[in-house]
Amino acid sequence: CIVYHKTPNYKDFANGGIYRRVRAYTLTLIETDPDSECADKVEELFEYCSITNHHVVDSLYHTTLNLHY
């Protein structure tokens, strides 16, 4: 299962204004396999993606990623 939430856009400023605006999301992958490689594959697909957290709830493995694109 993939749960995503839109987060505030990332912005770079230059010359007194917004130079670049990047969309940002928090993804949570929920899986039954503790050794699944899905999060690693998602991280490889996007240049600005990083795994930020791992935790277990009710025997389900949650991996949280931050994605900017």
Side-chain angles (χ1 to χ4, degrees):
C1 175
I2 299 174
V3 178
Y4 70 94
H5 299 280
K6 186 162 175 47
T7 58
N9 291 341
Y10 174 79
K11 299 174 188 169
D12 282 332
F13 295 90
N15 292 329
I18 297 174
Y19 173 71
R20 178 177 64 153
R21 185 175 312 195
V22 180
R23 293 183 185 142
Y25 297 90
T26 299
L27 306 176
T28 302
L29 302 179
I30 303 170
E31 305 173 279
T32 57
D33 180 8
D35 297 321
S36 174
E37 295 182 6
C38 288
D40 295 327
K41 290 179 182 179
V42 170
E43 188 179 35
E44 289 174 10
L45 287 173
F46 296 95
E47 183 177 359
Y48 299 107
C49 182
S50 60
I51 296 173
T52 59
N53 192 17
H54 299 278
H55 62 280
V56 180
V57 176
D58 295 330
S59 298
L60 295 174
Y61 298 88
H62 295 63
T63 304
T64 305
L65 301 97
N66 286 336
L67 172 64
H68 297 89
Y69 87 99

